Amino acid sequence: MERKVAIIGAGISGLLACKYALSKGHHPTVFKAQSGLGGVWTKTVEITKLQIPKPFYQFSDFPWPDSVTEVFPDQNQVLEYIESYARQFDLLHHIRFDTKVVCIDYEGASSEVQQAWALWGGTGEAFDSKGGKWYITIQDTKSLSTEVCQFDFVIICVGRFSGIPDIPEFPQGKGPEVFQGKVIHSMDYAAMDYATAKELVNGERVAVVGLQKSALDIAMECSTVNEMDLPCTVIYRTEHWNIPDFQPWGVPLAYFYLHRFSELSIHKPGEGPLLSLLATLLSPVRWAFSKFVESHVKHKLKLAKFGMVPKHSFLQELSSCLTSTVPDDFYNRVEKGSIRLIQALAFAKKDLIAGSPDKTVPLYRECIHPRIPQLAVIGFSESFANLYTSEMRCRWLAELLDSTFKLPSIKEMEKDIAEWDEYMKQYSVKNYRRSCIGALHIWYNDQLCKDMGWNPKRKKGFVAELFEPYGPMDYACP
């Protein structure tokens, strides 16, 4: 039976949700506030490139074209690849561009009835047979006219990095208003055309706050424009294991963290006594993998020379989905003086930025809130390769929409969420709340496969199953 499905966002997750909803015969409508698709890839800093090797960032049924020979394609190449995917599967006419979602309301069972449900939506199925609907208020961003649309199901695909910039609240009299210069967010910088961005920083003393990918890229651009005359200052709070490449001491990083053996050394949500014992016994392997990668990063980037050796492990960085690549020549510029690094121990309170440190977003399979019917969230929880993960989630969701399987009871889902929450606390530590499955990618996909009735083991032979890295193409077929 064809159902009307609303999809909010036309980035990677939104396009995948649209494609797989169509594959099950539903009628999806994608709402996009801007005039183009591609999410965070719509506009980036000029030097930004893909953060992981392209074999791990591709659609399972739409490989990269042979014309893209780079291992780490740039922003224009990634955007063209995403747009080509949308054209290939005829997704564009399902997208309403320049249409902003301003409100969503559920009309169905009362809150008292919902609280008494033992199963999601009362039945454990995607659609409410008793008539529950979502009403979405949308606004045309050009005419500002509004309308209300009715849908049977809503998929939120706005991700973690789109929309409103995440800016901390400052005490009165100590915020940007007392600074005599210009204060902008990295999103605002990336939204400029390349020439305008360069003109903005030309001849200016620039301070970049942060040490993740956007901060590193912007600092590089500023140092290119102003060179030694006006060094770019990078103000950071915590050192990170930002990596120079994916070949620690010549060995592909995937052979340390993207196969089943590596995950055997990590305590997993829902593991039995045997797997728990095995993870404990293999803890030296877990430690050795992390130290091996760390030694390569420290050596190649000369982190000790600059006082930039992190106090936490590489595994913790990976488990928090904070790993990013360092632009070529970054630390050479630090050494020469066109980039300066300054550590600020308390330039902002974390609770003002991230909210409560005690909770993550409670999503079953990182997709479904047990207490909110007929709604899914795709792309908020991160991984080593977000495209890869979003595709698996959209395929899982499509099977749920098609009634291939039913969800377990609300209590069972909440128990599973709590187990994943404990895992994230254990391995992410101070970066808890990022909802990251980075170090347990295969274990997570196994659960999705079992739900859908797929064989979770995708390799040929015991040795291959244990030691070969997993990637998108392993899940090309059910």
Side-chain angles (χ1 to χ4, degrees):
M1 179 180 180
E2 181 179 308
R3 301 280 192 165
K4 293 177 64 179
V5 178
I7 300 169
I8 304 173
I12 292 291
S13 297
L15 294 175
L16 285 163
C18 181
K19 189 254 188 182
Y20 283 104
L22 283 169
S23 73
K24 297 299 182 180
H26 299 299
H27 181 69
T29 301
V30 182
F31 297 105
K32 177 65 175 178
Q34 289 77 35
S35 57
L37 54 82
V40 295
W41 290 104
T42 303
K43 191 65 179 174
T44 70
V45 178
E46 184 176 7
I47 69 169
T48 297
K49 294 183 178 181
L50 194 63
Q51 287 291 285
I52 60 173
K54 66 181 182 184
F56 294 98
Y57 193 92
Q58 63 181 332
F59 302 100
S60 66
D61 53 0
F62 191 71
W64 282 90
D66 293 338
S67 58
V68 179
T69 58
E70 295 84 352
V71 178
F72 300 94
D74 63 27
Q75 179 255 339
N76 291 321
Q77 291 170 311
V78 175
L79 185 58
E80 172 57 30
Y81 175 58
I82 295 170
E83 291 174 342
S84 297
Y85 176 83
R87 293 191 296 268
Q88 173 70 23
F89 294 102
D90 197 24
L91 305 181
L92 293 175
H93 75 271
H94 296 280
I95 304 174
R96 293 186 60 172
F97 292 106
D98 301 309
T99 306
K100 182 179 180 180
V101 174
V102 295
C103 181
I104 64 172
D105 290 299
Y106 177 74
E107 290 189 11
S110 66
S111 57
E112 293 80 8
V113 171
Q114 290 186 41
Q115 287 300 313
W117 282 342
L119 297 172
W120 188 61
T123 63
E125 296 185 346
F127 300 105
D128 183 359
S129 60
K130 298 181 180 179
K133 302 288 183 183
W134 283 98
Y135 291 85
I136 298 185
T137 303
I138 57 175
Q139 181 183 59
D140 186 296
T141 59
K142 295 180 178 179
S143 69
L144 301 184
S145 61
T146 62
E147 64 176 294
V148 178
C149 305
Q150 176 186 293
F151 291 92
D152 301 296
F153 199 95
V154 173
I155 309 174
I156 299 176
C157 301
V158 296
R160 296 184 66 97
F161 306 109
S162 299
I164 300 174
D166 187 4
I167 300 176
E169 297 178 9
F170 294 91
Q172 188 173 3
K174 295 185 178 181
E177 72 278 359
V178 301
F179 180 60
Q180 295 182 357
K182 187 176 181 62
V183 179
I184 65 171
H185 193 273
S186 59
M187 287 185 179
D188 300 320
Y189 182 92
M192 301 176 186
D193 64 74
Y194 300 149
T196 301
K198 290 176 182 177
E199 182 61 29
L200 175 72
V201 301
N202 185 30
E204 302 288 342
R205 292 189 300 165
V206 179
V208 178
V209 180
L211 199 64
Q212 290 296 296
K213 186 56 182 173
S214 294
L216 299 177
D217 284 350
I218 292 173
M220 286 290 289
E221 291 201 354
C222 292
S223 70
T224 298
V225 173
N226 293 321
E227 299 183 334
M228 299 291 294
D229 297 333
L230 292 168
C232 178
T233 300
V234 176
I235 302 172
Y236 67 95
R237 181 172 51 191
T238 304
E239 302 89 353
H240 289 283
W241 291 109
N242 296 323
I243 58 178
D245 54 58
F246 280 77
Q247 300 277 335
W249 299 113
V251 182
L253 187 65
Y255 282 93
F256 292 97
Y257 290 106
L258 293 182
H259 52 62
R260 288 191 182 276
F261 180 75
S262 67
E263 294 194 4
L264 289 176
S265 69
I266 299 172
H267 289 285
K268 294 168 278 295
E271 66 184 0
L274 181 59
L275 286 177
S276 178
L277 175 62
L278 195 56
T280 300
L281 292 175
L282 290 175
S283 59
V285 175
R286 181 172 70 231
W287 177 87
F289 280 0
S290 190
K291 291 303 176 185
F292 187 87
V293 177
E294 291 167 24
S295 67
H296 170 75
V297 178
K298 287 191 290 186
H299 171 77
K300 190 160 186 178
L301 298 180
K302 303 175 184 178
L303 294 184
K305 180 177 182 178
F306 305 111
M308 294 296 290
V309 179
K311 299 175 180 62
H312 58 275
S313 69
F314 180 78
L315 176 61
Q316 183 179 323
E317 191 96 2
L318 183 66
S319 299
S320 307
C321 290
L322 287 170
T323 305
S324 60
T325 55
V326 178
D328 294 340
D329 205 40
F330 181 86
Y331 278 99
N332 288 335
R333 298 191 187 191
V334 174
E335 187 168 22
K336 292 175 182 177
S338 63
I339 294 176
R340 298 189 302 168
L341 300 173
I342 296 178
Q343 186 174 30
L345 298 179
F347 65 84
K349 293 183 178 179
K350 185 177 178 181
D351 59 347
L352 293 178
I353 299 174
S356 169
D358 302 322
K359 297 178 181 178
T360 59
V361 178
L363 299 175
Y364 178 69
R365 299 291 192 251
E366 303 299 329
C367 298
I368 296 289
H369 192 294
R371 300 284 178 179
I372 304 178
Q374 298 165 249
L375 181 142
V377 179
I378 303 291
F380 183 80
S381 174
E382 299 174 82
S383 71
F384 173 79
N386 288 331
L387 185 155
Y388 171 17
T389 302
S390 287
E391 181 166 18
M392 287 299 294
R393 289 172 179 163
C394 288
R395 296 175 85 169
W396 178 87
L397 180 59
E399 297 299 335
L400 177 64
L401 296 179
D402 205 37
S403 300
T404 300
F405 64 93
K406 288 187 178 182
L407 296 173
S409 70
I410 290 175
K411 286 186 177 180
E412 289 177 272
M413 287 195 287
E414 290 176 339
K415 179 176 180 290
D416 184 83
I417 291 169
E419 289 173 346
W420 275 94
D421 194 63
E422 286 302 312
Y423 154 75
M424 292 176 192
K425 284 181 180 177
Q426 179 179 357
Y427 287 99
S428 296
V429 194
K430 66 178 180 179
N431 295 311
Y432 167 69
R433 287 192 82 256
R434 286 189 64 89
S435 296
C436 171
I437 64 161
L440 285 183
H441 213 271
I442 301 170
W443 178 259
Y444 172 79
N445 283 340
D446 284 354
Q447 295 178 332
L448 301 186
C449 287
K450 291 174 183 177
D451 289 345
M452 295 186 288
W454 297 9
N455 181 0
K457 295 183 178 180
R458 321 295 291 182
K459 302 291 187 181
K460 295 181 180 180
F462 175 79
V463 174
E465 188 61 57
L466 203 57
F467 294 106
E468 281 189 8
Y470 264 74
M473 295 309 174
D474 291 302
Y475 298 94
C477 299

